[in-house]
Amino acid sequence: MDISNRTVLIVGGTSGIGLGLARRFAAAGSTVIVGGRDTSRVDDLESVRIDVTDAASVLTARDHVLAAHPDLDVVVTMSGVLLQEDLRDPAHFGAAETTIAVNLLGTIRVIDAFTPHLVTRGAGDIITVTSGIGFLPFPLMPSYGASKAGVHAYTEALRAQLSGAGVTVTELIPPAVATAGQEKVNPAALPLDGFLDEVVGLLTQTPTPNEIVVQAAQRLRWAERDGTYAGLLAARSQSLAALPGR
Ligand SMILES: NC(=O)c1ccc[n+]([C@@H]2O[C@H](COP(=O)([O-])OP(=O)(O)OC[C@H]3O[C@@H](n4cnc5c(N)ncnc54)[C@H](OP(=O)(O)O)[C@@H]3O)[C@@H](O)[C@H]2O)c1
């Protein structure tokens, strides 16, 4: 994928991985718009206010972006929340609802908003964002893993449905990255810059791989195939000791 001469919208680009990726596209020469609920954090890139849980907000943002940038040809669905849940306490349900609303339904809503434009153009890229946790659960974040496994399955179906339409569908599968508070709790989280170096290296290959899986994400992505799933899941289950009363 060329990243130097594109017009890119990164929904969920107002912080963390999305903002970092936006700056990589911009530094390479592309026109970049970042979206999120809080655009005040970004002053070096064009931004648009969007709440992916609100259908009207998504359509308003879509109309605004396409009016200003009719040549938009890359859409990245980066919006996500990472919430812990204690499944022995039914009060977790609110976190489950928020997680599915943002990570899964929000992704679908943004893709729906821009697919007609990209298909009419007959050229473009959709980049979805899942997680290693979508392939190897992290038991502290049950609905998060479910949402990302859902986005993975959806991405595969989207790629099949858009085949022949000129629209490429790519899935970014990050491992733990030192953003969104991970830097405070997970010493193994990858520094953002190094992670983005690897992502850009993979993204710019020709043809673009269907999945962008940096080295540190490989063991999660392929645990089931490699026969390491049960052992890794047991090790990751030790994180449950962080829950109250365990
Ligand atoms: N960090 C990791 O270890 C890791 C690992 C694997 C996958 N990922 C995935 O990578 C993506 C980015 O994560 P990150 O670590 O960069 O987290 P982050 O810094 O918290 O960024 C999350 C982004 O999502 C946006 N967002 C949240 N709720 C939204 C809503 N209702 N409507 C629109 N945008 C919303 C936020 O913008 P506003 O607050 O401005 O709305 C922000 O731009 C997520 O999908 C996450 O699941 C992260």
Side-chain angles (χ1 to χ4, degrees):
M1 172 187 309
D2 169 41
I3 66 162
S4 67
N5 187 28
R6 311 297 299 271
T7 303
V8 188
L9 171 65
I10 301 186
V11 181
T14 51
S15 68
I17 297 171
L19 182 55
L21 187 63
R23 289 181 174 141
R24 293 299 179 107
F25 269 97
S30 290
T31 299
V32 183
I33 308 104
V34 293
R37 294 160 305 169
D38 179 7
T39 54
S40 69
R41 288 191 295 253
V42 184
D43 54 16
D44 58 327
L45 295 170
E46 184 179 339
S47 62
V48 63
R49 199 159 294 144
I50 180 169
D51 180 345
V52 300
T53 66
D54 177 346
S57 165
V58 172
L59 295 182
T60 301
R62 187 265 321 264
D63 292 347
H64 175 81
V65 169
L66 290 182
H69 300 283
D71 54 350
L72 183 84
D73 63 349
V74 183
V75 176
V76 183
T77 58
M78 184 69 75
S79 296
V81 291
L82 300 84
L83 302 176
Q84 295 188 5
E85 294 164 82
D86 182 348
L87 301 187
R88 294 186 193 177
D89 177 359
H92 85 91
F93 193 76
E97 278 188 317
T98 301
T99 302
I100 300 300
V102 176
N103 298 9
L104 180 55
L105 288 175
T107 294
I108 294 171
R109 194 175 275 124
V110 171
I111 291 170
D112 278 352
F114 289 96
T115 293
H117 165 78
L118 295 172
V119 169
T120 300
R121 279 188 97 249
D125 290 275
I126 296 172
I127 303 176
T128 62
V129 181
T130 60
S131 167
I133 294 174
F135 299 89
L136 182 77
F138 182 60
L140 261 186
M141 298 182 179
S143 299
Y144 180 78
S147 73
K148 293 299 189 177
V151 174
H152 167 69
Y154 197 88
T155 302
E156 297 267 291
L158 179 70
R159 183 181 301 117
Q161 290 216 16
L162 296 187
S163 169
V167 182
T168 303
V169 178
T170 304
E171 177 180 349
L172 172 61
I173 309 175
V177 177
T179 53
Q182 292 298 307
E183 64 280 15
K184 294 183 198 126
V185 295
N186 186 351
L190 293 185
L192 180 59
D193 270 341
F195 169 67
L196 290 173
D197 287 345
E198 260 190 279
V199 168
V200 168
L202 295 167
L203 207 54
T204 52
Q205 286 178 357
T206 306
T208 310
N210 284 345
E211 297 180 357
I212 305 298
V213 191
V214 302
Q215 196 61 39
Q218 298 275 347
R219 72 189 185 104
L220 308 174
R221 172 65 182 96
W222 300 114
E224 200 158 12
R225 179 195 71 185
D226 294 345
T228 53
Y229 189 99
L232 286 171
L233 183 56
R236 286 157 81 85
S237 298
Q238 288 172 13
S239 63
L240 294 171
L243 291 173
R246 304 287 177 98

